[in-house]
Amino acid sequence: MMLHWLTSLISKPLRRDPARQRQVDQQTSRLALYHFPICPYCIKVNRVIRKLNLKIEQRNAASDSNWADELQQFGGKLQTPCLKIQQQDGDRWLYESDDIIRYLRQNFATPEDLAKDPSA
């Protein structure tokens, strides 16, 4: 188990063809992750973000009271990690690391990507 965890820290991010990467970058521009830097659940989510090669804005709610206030006011609670998803019909606030990871994998990892690296 420990070896798998260490390997996941040093593994390389997913490589996509440039056109697909631009498309993914455009889609992730509507996402923001509210986090606390030392939160183990936030670290878990950020590890998947790195492995999937996603550019998601990081909002440190521990060091910036504006982010903490926004998370509390609009998300409904001061809990991290929280993924803010900007949608046409209003923002969606997704809590719980496993739910965030599931969302990221479903929306940004193809079956071929997951076959190459199941830990992504």
Side-chain angles (χ1 to χ4, degrees), residues 12 31 34 43 50 55 57 60 87 94 104 119:
K12 294 182 180 182
L31 305 178
Y34 292 77
I43 293 168
R50 180 181 176 278
K55 292 178 178 81
E57 180 183 356
N60 184 341
Q87 303 177 141
L94 186 59
L104 295 174
S119 68

Side-chain angles (χ1 to χ4, degrees), residues 24-95:
V24 168
D25 292 345
Q26 183 180 13
Q27 292 172 315
T28 58
S29 69
R30 60 187 175 82
L31 305 178
L33 183 71
Y34 292 77
H35 68 98
F36 295 146
I38 60 171
C39 164
Y41 300 104
C42 299
I43 293 168
K44 177 180 173 181
V45 169
N46 271 313
R47 188 172 61 230
V48 172
I49 288 171
R50 180 181 176 278
K51 288 178 75 73
L52 292 177
N53 198 12
L54 304 176
K55 292 178 178 81
I56 296 177
E57 180 183 356
Q58 300 283 313
R59 296 183 177 178
N60 184 341
S63 67
D64 188 325
S65 62
N66 291 325
W67 293 140
D69 292 344
E70 183 175 296
L71 180 59
Q72 177 78 46
Q73 181 179 358
F74 298 108
K77 52 188 169 180
L78 184 59
Q79 175 185 320
T80 62
C82 179
L83 185 67
K84 178 183 177 184
I85 307 164
Q86 295 177 337
Q87 303 177 141
Q88 290 181 346
D89 60 346
D91 295 338
R92 177 177 172 200
W93 299 80
L94 186 59
Y95 288 91

Side-chain angles (χ1 to χ4, degrees), residues 14-21 24-25 52-54 108-109 113:
L14 179 68
R15 293 182 53 92
R16 297 180 184 89
D17 68 77
R20 175 70 177 128
Q21 187 63 51
V24 168
D25 292 345
L52 292 177
N53 198 12
L54 304 176
F108 302 107
D113 297 336

